[in-house]
Amino acid sequence: MNDLVRSALVTGASTGIGRACVEKFVAEGWQVFASVRKGEDGERLKAEIGEAVVPLIFDVTDGPAIAHAADQMREALMGATLGALVNNAGIAVAGPLLHLPIEEMEKQMDVNVTGQLRVVQAFGPLLGADRSLSGAPGRIVNISSVAGFSAAPFVVPYACSKFALEAFTQGLRRELTPYGIDVVAINPGPIATPIWDKAESVDPEQYAHTDYIKPIRRLVNYMLERGRGGLPPSAVADAVWAAVTSPKPKLNTIVTPEPFTQWLLGIMPRRMADRLITKRLGLTPDALEP
Ligand code: NAD
């Protein structure tokens, strides 16, 4: 590869924010390794966005497939460093903690947290932890969420994964300092992507036998409404681009259509925030059926 052209890896590139990042980086003249789980998604990205897209096929829960993709990338980079890793692949698991099947929580953490670790271990050397490579060290941008700061009821598995990703981001940044590899997070609020339609596949009726069914129905409708009215994924891609290219990127960049609410939640006493959220969802003692 020509070492004047920089390259990035974007995980979970088939749809939504990941795809928007691929489009942005290619438009800026970068080569983009786009991780997808199905070969046909990679071919589609290449056909729609251009030859600068190099599909890599792996699931972030599949260590050997990730290692194979890292070998392919090492060969393609021909001794140069990778310019950026955008850890974007993720899922959102919902359900009330008292009744949530344990495997659902395990899946959430495996994809959104351990998955990011697998990817960092495989591609970290190419970002410059392998000191035999030439070129400037790359940067890691983790796609966290505003759910990394505040846990909404019934989407706590997701919030746990994003709180954990915040710790991962902070600690990894400190550990990678000797290599000059900076690590930052982007914290989107509602963004209009397919993730919200997948929320529909969380069938609230599976919790029909619990005291929570009414507030859960309310939350699912609220989430779908907010998601579909969210910012376009390109708004996040612009923030990712700034995080990769600015000389001193912000450690957390919040991208949301509701900056005031976000700010208010951040400064509000936590008991007050609890009251506001529980009241809004009908999570009050008098809301329970006798
Ligand atoms: P999306 O569902 O369109 O994209 C998720 C991507 O991750 C898809 O390409 C999917 O194929 C991939 N993926 C899922 N599981 C995977 C696995 N096991 N291995 C590899 N790839 C996998 O949703 P999105 O909204 O674009 O989500 C992207 C990221 O943005 C996620 O980390 C999500 O938590 C975060 N986020 C989204 C929003 C939002 O409102 N949409 C808000 C905050 C944060």
Side-chain angles (χ1 to χ4, degrees), residues 3 16 27 33-34 45 51 78 83 93 100 103 112 141 155 160 165 192 207 214 221 225 240 244 257 269 275 283:
D3 62 4
F33 295 92
L45 285 179
E51 288 298 311
M78 296 191 303
V93 171
L100 185 81
E103 317 80 70
N112 286 20
V141 180
V155 276
C160 284
L165 192 59
Y207 299 108
K214 281 188 192 154
N221 289 336
E225 206 177 286
V240 171
V244 167
R275 274 198 298 279
L283 282 170

mmCIF file of all heavy atoms in Angstrom, residues 3 16 27 33-34 45 51 78 83 93 100 103 112 141 155 160 165 192 207 214 221 225 240 244 257 269 275 283:
data_model
loop_
_atom_site.group_PDB
_atom_site.id
_atom_site.type_symbol
_atom_site.label_atom_id
_atom_site.label_comp_id
_atom_site.label_asym_id
_atom_site.label_seq_id
_atom_site.Cartn_x
_atom_site.Cartn_y
_atom_site.Cartn_z
ATOM 1 N N ASP A 3 2.267 4.464 1.240
ATOM 2 C CA ASP A 3 2.180 4.896 2.639
ATOM 3 C C ASP A 3 1.691 6.332 2.800
ATOM 4 O O ASP A 3 1.602 6.845 3.904
ATOM 5 C CB ASP A 3 3.483 4.616 3.399
ATOM 6 C CG ASP A 3 4.671 5.361 2.846
ATOM 7 O OD1 ASP A 3 4.477 6.170 1.914
ATOM 8 O OD2 ASP A 3 5.767 5.131 3.339
ATOM 9 N N GLY A 16 -25.865 1.259 9.288
ATOM 10 C CA GLY A 16 -25.862 2.291 10.324
ATOM 11 C C GLY A 16 -24.595 3.125 10.430
ATOM 12 O O GLY A 16 -24.030 3.577 9.422
ATOM 13 N N ALA A 27 -14.501 8.972 1.437
ATOM 14 C CA ALA A 27 -14.658 10.299 0.832
ATOM 15 C C ALA A 27 -13.450 11.187 1.153
ATOM 16 O O ALA A 27 -13.092 12.071 0.373
ATOM 17 C CB ALA A 27 -15.948 10.957 1.330
ATOM 18 N N PHE A 33 -10.714 -0.805 5.714
ATOM 19 C CA PHE A 33 -10.991 -2.217 5.960
ATOM 20 C C PHE A 33 -12.337 -2.239 6.689
ATOM 21 O O PHE A 33 -12.471 -1.641 7.770
ATOM 22 C CB PHE A 33 -9.900 -2.839 6.825
ATOM 23 C CG PHE A 33 -8.562 -2.877 6.141
ATOM 24 C CD1 PHE A 33 -7.654 -1.837 6.297
ATOM 25 C CD2 PHE A 33 -8.221 -3.939 5.320
ATOM 26 C CE1 PHE A 33 -6.420 -1.865 5.661
ATOM 27 C CE2 PHE A 33 -6.981 -3.976 4.676
ATOM 28 C CZ PHE A 33 -6.085 -2.936 4.845
ATOM 29 N N ALA A 34 -13.326 -2.869 6.049
ATOM 30 C CA ALA A 34 -14.682 -2.839 6.600
ATOM 31 C C ALA A 34 -15.028 -4.226 7.108
ATOM 32 O O ALA A 34 -15.113 -5.169 6.314
ATOM 33 C CB ALA A 34 -15.665 -2.409 5.513
ATOM 34 N N LEU A 45 -20.805 -3.333 -0.088
ATOM 35 C CA LEU A 45 -20.136 -2.088 0.321
ATOM 36 C C LEU A 45 -19.143 -1.641 -0.739
ATOM 37 O O LEU A 45 -19.060 -0.461 -1.084
ATOM 38 C CB LEU A 45 -19.387 -2.284 1.649
ATOM 39 C CG LEU A 45 -20.215 -2.347 2.926
ATOM 40 C CD1 LEU A 45 -19.306 -2.571 4.127
ATOM 41 C CD2 LEU A 45 -21.028 -1.065 3.134
ATOM 42 N N GLU A 51 -13.685 1.004 -4.578
ATOM 43 C CA GLU A 51 -12.585 0.035 -4.463
ATOM 44 C C GLU A 51 -11.716 0.288 -3.234
ATOM 45 O O GLU A 51 -10.906 -0.565 -2.860
ATOM 46 C CB GLU A 51 -11.711 0.079 -5.728
ATOM 47 C CG GLU A 51 -12.389 -0.521 -6.963
ATOM 48 C CD GLU A 51 -12.730 -2.011 -6.784
ATOM 49 O OE1 GLU A 51 -11.846 -2.777 -6.361
ATOM 50 O OE2 GLU A 51 -13.884 -2.399 -7.064
ATOM 51 N N MET A 78 1.654 -3.898 4.100
ATOM 52 C CA MET A 78 3.058 -3.990 3.670
ATOM 53 C C MET A 78 4.015 -3.206 4.577
ATOM 54 O O MET A 78 4.778 -2.351 4.120
ATOM 55 C CB MET A 78 3.197 -3.506 2.222
ATOM 56 C CG MET A 78 2.433 -4.384 1.248
ATOM 57 S SD MET A 78 2.795 -4.051 -0.485
ATOM 58 C CE MET A 78 2.402 -2.342 -0.649
ATOM 59 N N GLY A 83 -4.005 3.347 10.401
ATOM 60 C CA GLY A 83 -4.203 4.720 10.899
ATOM 61 C C GLY A 83 -5.273 4.844 11.966
ATOM 62 O O GLY A 83 -5.202 5.730 12.825
ATOM 63 N N VAL A 93 -29.159 -5.251 24.003
ATOM 64 C CA VAL A 93 -30.017 -6.235 24.664
ATOM 65 C C VAL A 93 -30.867 -5.520 25.704
ATOM 66 O O VAL A 93 -30.366 -4.694 26.474
ATOM 67 C CB VAL A 93 -29.153 -7.337 25.339
ATOM 68 C CG1 VAL A 93 -30.011 -8.244 26.205
ATOM 69 C CG2 VAL A 93 -28.411 -8.150 24.284
ATOM 70 N N LEU A 100 -34.429 -11.157 33.308
ATOM 71 C CA LEU A 100 -33.599 -11.317 32.104
ATOM 72 C C LEU A 100 -32.887 -12.674 32.082
ATOM 73 O O LEU A 100 -32.214 -13.029 33.049
ATOM 74 C CB LEU A 100 -32.539 -10.210 32.097
ATOM 75 C CG LEU A 100 -31.662 -10.138 30.858
ATOM 76 C CD1 LEU A 100 -32.386 -9.411 29.741
ATOM 77 C CD2 LEU A 100 -30.347 -9.421 31.181
ATOM 78 N N GLU A 103 -28.199 -15.762 29.788
ATOM 79 C CA GLU A 103 -27.458 -15.835 28.507
ATOM 80 C C GLU A 103 -27.557 -14.522 27.727
ATOM 81 O O GLU A 103 -26.679 -14.192 26.941
ATOM 82 C CB GLU A 103 -27.983 -16.947 27.581
ATOM 83 C CG GLU A 103 -28.294 -18.275 28.218
ATOM 84 C CD GLU A 103 -29.647 -18.260 28.915
ATOM 85 O OE1 GLU A 103 -30.695 -18.202 28.256
ATOM 86 O OE2 GLU A 103 -29.625 -18.304 30.180
ATOM 87 N N ASN A 112 -20.291 -6.560 23.021
ATOM 88 C CA ASN A 112 -19.963 -5.136 23.170
ATOM 89 C C ASN A 112 -18.707 -4.849 23.985
ATOM 90 O O ASN A 112 -18.174 -3.749 23.911
ATOM 91 C CB ASN A 112 -21.138 -4.393 23.829
ATOM 92 C CG ASN A 112 -22.300 -4.185 22.882
ATOM 93 O OD1 ASN A 112 -22.416 -4.884 21.881
ATOM 94 N ND2 ASN A 112 -23.173 -3.246 23.195
ATOM 95 N N VAL A 141 -10.972 4.592 18.157
ATOM 96 C CA VAL A 141 -12.199 5.307 18.503
ATOM 97 C C VAL A 141 -13.257 4.265 18.852
ATOM 98 O O VAL A 141 -13.637 3.442 18.005
ATOM 99 C CB VAL A 141 -12.699 6.183 17.326
ATOM 100 C CG1 VAL A 141 -13.975 6.922 17.711
ATOM 101 C CG2 VAL A 141 -11.623 7.177 16.902
ATOM 102 N N VAL A 155 -33.038 -1.268 29.683
ATOM 103 C CA VAL A 155 -31.935 -1.427 28.723
ATOM 104 C C VAL A 155 -30.617 -1.429 29.500
ATOM 105 O O VAL A 155 -29.580 -0.990 29.008
ATOM 106 C CB VAL A 155 -31.928 -0.362 27.596
ATOM 107 C CG1 VAL A 155 -32.862 -0.762 26.476
ATOM 108 C CG2 VAL A 155 -32.279 1.008 28.101
ATOM 109 N N CYS A 160 -24.790 -1.446 30.818
ATOM 110 C CA CYS A 160 -23.633 -2.090 31.470
ATOM 111 C C CYS A 160 -22.491 -2.217 30.475
ATOM 112 O O CYS A 160 -21.326 -1.965 30.803
ATOM 113 C CB CYS A 160 -23.993 -3.491 31.959
ATOM 114 S SG CYS A 160 -24.984 -3.520 33.440
ATOM 115 N N LEU A 165 -17.403 -0.160 28.495
ATOM 116 C CA LEU A 165 -16.602 0.331 27.370
ATOM 117 C C LEU A 165 -15.925 1.658 27.723
ATOM 118 O O LEU A 165 -14.824 1.957 27.238
ATOM 119 C CB LEU A 165 -17.490 0.476 26.123
ATOM 120 C CG LEU A 165 -16.781 0.692 24.791
ATOM 121 C CD1 LEU A 165 -15.825 -0.448 24.457
ATOM 122 C CD2 LEU A 165 -17.790 0.880 23.659
ATOM 123 N N ALA A 192 -30.647 7.507 13.893
ATOM 124 C CA ALA A 192 -31.595 6.716 13.094
ATOM 125 C C ALA A 192 -30.857 5.619 12.330
ATOM 126 O O ALA A 192 -30.317 5.853 11.247
ATOM 127 C CB ALA A 192 -32.345 7.637 12.125
ATOM 128 N N TYR A 207 -42.485 -10.614 28.637
ATOM 129 C CA TYR A 207 -42.505 -10.236 30.052
ATOM 130 C C TYR A 207 -43.933 -9.941 30.529
ATOM 131 O O TYR A 207 -44.141 -9.298 31.550
ATOM 132 C CB TYR A 207 -41.580 -9.038 30.286
ATOM 133 C CG TYR A 207 -40.146 -9.372 29.935
ATOM 134 C CD1 TYR A 207 -39.530 -8.837 28.800
ATOM 135 C CD2 TYR A 207 -39.425 -10.270 30.723
ATOM 136 C CE1 TYR A 207 -38.223 -9.190 28.466
ATOM 137 C CE2 TYR A 207 -38.122 -10.633 30.387
ATOM 138 C CZ TYR A 207 -37.526 -10.088 29.267
ATOM 139 O OH TYR A 207 -36.247 -10.448 28.948
ATOM 140 N N LYS A 214 -46.416 -3.133 31.610
ATOM 141 C CA LYS A 214 -46.859 -1.815 31.104
ATOM 142 C C LYS A 214 -45.685 -0.849 30.891
ATOM 143 O O LYS A 214 -45.558 -0.270 29.809
ATOM 144 C CB LYS A 214 -47.897 -1.215 32.050
ATOM 145 C CG LYS A 214 -49.274 -1.825 31.845
ATOM 146 C CD LYS A 214 -50.297 -1.077 32.653
ATOM 147 C CE LYS A 214 -51.603 -1.850 32.677
ATOM 148 N NZ LYS A 214 -52.377 -1.518 33.881
ATOM 149 N N ASN A 221 -41.971 1.604 22.964
ATOM 150 C CA ASN A 221 -42.535 2.595 22.048
ATOM 151 C C ASN A 221 -41.728 3.885 22.049
ATOM 152 O O ASN A 221 -41.441 4.461 21.008
ATOM 153 C CB ASN A 221 -43.990 2.919 22.429
ATOM 154 C CG ASN A 221 -44.875 1.750 22.104
ATOM 155 O OD1 ASN A 221 -44.546 0.935 21.239
ATOM 156 N ND2 ASN A 221 -45.988 1.617 22.814
ATOM 157 N N GLU A 225 -39.626 5.519 18.888
ATOM 158 C CA GLU A 225 -39.946 6.882 18.461
ATOM 159 C C GLU A 225 -38.683 7.756 18.447
ATOM 160 O O GLU A 225 -38.401 8.448 17.478
ATOM 161 C CB GLU A 225 -40.920 7.436 19.501
ATOM 162 C CG GLU A 225 -41.866 8.521 19.033
ATOM 163 C CD GLU A 225 -42.783 8.855 20.213
ATOM 164 O OE1 GLU A 225 -43.693 8.038 20.523
ATOM 165 O OE2 GLU A 225 -42.539 9.883 20.845
ATOM 166 N N VAL A 240 -16.415 10.909 14.399
ATOM 167 C CA VAL A 240 -15.337 9.910 14.379
ATOM 168 C C VAL A 240 -14.152 10.459 13.575
ATOM 169 O O VAL A 240 -12.990 10.367 13.986
ATOM 170 C CB VAL A 240 -15.821 8.565 13.786
ATOM 171 C CG1 VAL A 240 -14.660 7.599 13.561
ATOM 172 C CG2 VAL A 240 -16.876 7.926 14.681
ATOM 173 N N VAL A 244 -10.324 11.132 14.857
ATOM 174 C CA VAL A 244 -9.147 10.482 14.266
ATOM 175 C C VAL A 244 -8.135 11.512 13.762
ATOM 176 O O VAL A 244 -6.928 11.286 13.820
ATOM 177 C CB VAL A 244 -9.584 9.534 13.115
ATOM 178 C CG1 VAL A 244 -8.401 9.091 12.260
ATOM 179 C CG2 VAL A 244 -10.309 8.316 13.682
ATOM 180 N N PRO A 257 -29.338 14.597 19.377
ATOM 181 C CA PRO A 257 -30.294 15.654 19.027
ATOM 182 C C PRO A 257 -30.834 16.346 20.281
ATOM 183 O O PRO A 257 -31.561 17.324 20.166
ATOM 184 C CB PRO A 257 -31.423 14.888 18.311
ATOM 185 C CG PRO A 257 -31.285 13.469 18.757
ATOM 186 C CD PRO A 257 -29.867 13.246 19.188
ATOM 187 N N PRO A 269 -28.941 16.125 40.454
ATOM 188 C CA PRO A 269 -28.700 15.160 41.524
ATOM 189 C C PRO A 269 -29.287 13.803 41.123
ATOM 190 O O PRO A 269 -30.374 13.741 40.525
ATOM 191 C CB PRO A 269 -29.453 15.756 42.721
ATOM 192 C CG PRO A 269 -29.595 17.203 42.413
ATOM 193 C CD PRO A 269 -29.666 17.316 40.919
ATOM 194 N N ARG A 275 -36.112 9.918 40.118
ATOM 195 C CA ARG A 275 -37.557 10.234 40.244
ATOM 196 C C ARG A 275 -38.149 10.580 38.879
ATOM 197 O O ARG A 275 -39.226 10.129 38.513
ATOM 198 C CB ARG A 275 -37.764 11.398 41.228
ATOM 199 C CG ARG A 275 -37.857 10.939 42.685
ATOM 200 C CD ARG A 275 -38.479 12.009 43.557
ATOM 201 N NE ARG A 275 -37.707 13.239 43.585
ATOM 202 C CZ ARG A 275 -36.622 13.441 44.340
ATOM 203 N NH1 ARG A 275 -36.175 12.482 45.142
ATOM 204 N NH2 ARG A 275 -35.982 14.587 44.302
ATOM 205 N N LEU A 283 -42.914 3.720 36.757
ATOM 206 C CA LEU A 283 -42.260 2.747 37.651
ATOM 207 C C LEU A 283 -42.397 3.196 39.105
ATOM 208 O O LEU A 283 -41.407 3.325 39.824
ATOM 209 C CB LEU A 283 -40.784 2.615 37.284
ATOM 210 C CG LEU A 283 -40.482 1.765 36.062
ATOM 211 C CD1 LEU A 283 -39.028 1.909 35.639
ATOM 212 C CD2 LEU A 283 -40.779 0.297 36.351
#
